[in-house]
């Protein structure tokens, strides 16, 4: 959960695969939109909408890699880490609009199923599957060490499932002539996208609201600090994240009576937090007397 000292290095290392994956996906996105319109396949257009989210996700990942290299300045003292969450909010909003349109269009097609060019639909979907598999191969190595790349990898992985669905639909139409399978596949893809979109929006919103990162137990951190013999009280304890994996902790520490060296205690508390809770961006205010007199202190 920590930012780690080699986070930027690992992000930069996997920038080239991100560029390759973005180029492949963007090129095929255009082809799939044209193919969906030509073949009159809603399932293909639905898969294209999903692939559009891959393009956005890869773009957000690359922006995050580039922005992470920029140092903090007088106007943005924490740098640009929140760009990842902002990009996710944009991504999620677009996904809801596109998925909503696909589901609305599918309702009309259930009433009057149109003719679908199954052969063209099948060829384009198979090409899309190949592009997805190549992109997954490019991103697989980085997905194990970079959360940024892992997010892009999961986007492409889920789109690969969408391509498989379109291929199945095209084969069914070609063999049986049952064109109703096309809007059915489109609805299934839309229903696959929406819950994942909601999860993405909740995670991004949680970061922007400075919520406690997943897996972090504030009560456990407070308990461990109070267990230290030199600590009398802990207040104003806050744990949040600038972005995925970039956890920040701040707290006020009231020392027990008779503690001779506050600086040594501060260093020791910081070490405990880093080693036991894997938080490396720690700011502690050490106090002889509690300043917890203002309204709102916790």
């Amino acid at each position: 959960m920590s930012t780690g000292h080699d986070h930027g290095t690992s992000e930069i290392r996997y920038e080239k695969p991100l560029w390759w994956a973005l180029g492949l996906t963007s090129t095929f996105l255009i082809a799939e939109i044209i193919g969906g319109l030509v073949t009159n396949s809603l399932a293909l257009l639905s898969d294209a909408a999903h692939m559009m989210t891959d393009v956005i996700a890869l773009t957000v990942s690359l922006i995050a890699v580039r922005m992470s290299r920029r140092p903090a300045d007088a106007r943005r003292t924490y740098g640009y880490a929140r760009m990842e969450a902002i990009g996710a909010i944009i991504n999620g909003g677009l996904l809801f609009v596109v998925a909503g349109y696909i589901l609305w269009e599918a309702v009309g097609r259930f009433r009057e199923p149109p003719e679908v060019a199954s052969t063209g639909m099948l060829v384009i979907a198979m090409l899309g599957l190949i592009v997805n598999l190549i992109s997954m191969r490019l991103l697989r190595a980085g997905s194990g060490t970079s959360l940024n790349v892992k997010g892009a990898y999961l986007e492409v992985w889920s789109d690969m499932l969408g391509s498989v669905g379109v291929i199945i639909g095209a084969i069914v139409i070609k063999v049986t002539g049952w064109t109703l399978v096309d809007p059915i596949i489109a609805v299934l893809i839309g229903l696959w996208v929406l819950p994942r979109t909601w999860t993405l929006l909740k995670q991004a919103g949680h970061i922007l609201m400075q919520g406690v990162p997943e897996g972090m137990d504030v009560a456990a951190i407070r308990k461990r600090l109070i267990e230290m013999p030199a600590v009398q009280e802990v207040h104003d304890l806050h744990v949040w994240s600038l972005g995925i994996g970039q956890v920040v902790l701040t707290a006020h520490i009231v020392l027990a009576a008779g503690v001779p060296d506050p600086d040594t205690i501060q260093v020791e508390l910081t070490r405990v937090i880093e080693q036991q809770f894997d938080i490396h961006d720690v700011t502690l205010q050490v106090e002889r007397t509690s300043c917890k007199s203002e309204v709102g202190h916790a």
Side-chain angles (χ1 to χ4, degrees), residues 14-22 24-25 54 57-59 61-62 131-157:
Y14 295 111
E15 181 178 350
K16 188 174 180 180
L18 280 169
W19 276 113
W20 275 105
L22 178 61
L24 285 170
T25 306
D54 296 345
L58 289 165
T59 302
S61 295
L62 281 166
V131 169
N132 290 144
L133 291 174
I134 293 173
S135 296
M136 288 174 64
R137 177 67 178 176
L138 289 168
L139 300 174
R140 182 178 300 166
S143 67
T145 58
S146 167
L147 288 174
N148 206 9
V149 179
K150 183 178 181 179
Y153 176 81
L154 292 176
E155 284 280 354
V156 175
W157 179 83

Side-chain angles (χ1 to χ4, degrees), residues 244-267:
I244 296 176
Q246 302 179 27
V247 182
V248 179
L249 180 148
T250 62
H252 289 210
I253 307 295
V254 182
L255 298 179
V259 175
D261 188 357
D263 291 338
T264 301
I265 298 303
Q266 186 176 28
V267 171

Side-chain angles (χ1 to χ4, degrees), residues 46 77 81 102 107 130 132 138 153 187 214 241-242 257 270:
S46 178
T77 55
I102 293 296
V107 171
I130 292 171
N132 290 144
L138 289 168
Y153 176 81
V187 168
E214 184 178 354
S241 59
L242 298 174
T270 300

